[in-house]
Amino acid sequence: MQHVDNCIFCKIVQRQIPSQLVYEDEEMMAFHDIHPWAPVHFLIIPKAHIASMAQLSTEHTALVGRMMVKVDVLARQEGCRPYPEGGYRLMVNTGQHGGQEVHHLHLHVMGGPRPWSKG
Ligand code: 5GP
Ligand code: ZN
């Protein structure tokens, strides 16, 4: 598995930094955001270091597909009410103009009753 030394999410994958785990398998991990915007706010990341959406290529299609398929399952597991009354917001910040701060691909999943502190 490819990790990058100064990447905070690679450190979470390697258990060098603790996280509140939501889900883990051999290729992805989900954990609570340390500064939640919403009652439910967790991140889904690939375990392998991919800097952003901009680095994705066809070799990642199946992995990203499996991450997307996990979103609804994990959102409901974490307390989001089902679609359509409930639901969640899925956000993938990419690059400086996209507001990306951590350069290891991550899907934000945000949900729960409004108002939220942001978003
Ligand atoms: P970005 O702006 O890159 O899309 O979002 C990065 C997110 O990672 C932010 O919402 C931030 O709160 C979260 N984050 C940054 N450092 C840590 C950390 O060490 N642990 C956890 N659980 N979340 C973090
Ligand atoms: Zn990384």
Side-chain angles (χ1 to χ4, degrees), residues 8-9 12 31-35 93 99-102 106 108:
I8 200 157
F9 287 175
I12 285 178
F31 51 87
H32 289 278
D33 195 292
I34 207 164
H35 294 127
N93 298 331
Q100 184 179 7
E101 289 177 357
V102 177
H106 51 282
H108 290 260

Side-chain angles (χ1 to χ4, degrees), residues 17-90:
I17 293 179
S19 70
Q20 260 192 284
L21 204 61
V22 165
Y23 175 77
E24 180 177 22
D25 64 25
E26 58 287 341
E27 61 182 358
M28 72 182 90
M29 206 162 161
F31 51 87
H32 289 278
D33 195 292
I34 207 164
H35 294 127
W37 290 15
V40 175
H41 186 173
F42 63 91
L43 308 172
I44 305 178
I45 69 167
K47 283 189 168 178
H49 183 86
I50 302 169
S52 81
M53 290 289 288
Q55 282 69 38
L56 290 179
S57 61
T58 50
E59 72 187 87
H60 302 114
T61 304
L63 165 65
V64 173
R66 287 191 285 267
M67 288 168 63
M68 293 294 279
V69 167
K70 277 287 171 207
V71 170
D72 197 81
V73 177
L74 297 179
R76 284 183 286 111
Q77 176 189 302
E78 292 306 302
C80 292
R81 300 292 308 278
Y83 171 91
E85 296 81 11
Y88 41 81
R89 173 169 293 179
L90 186 62

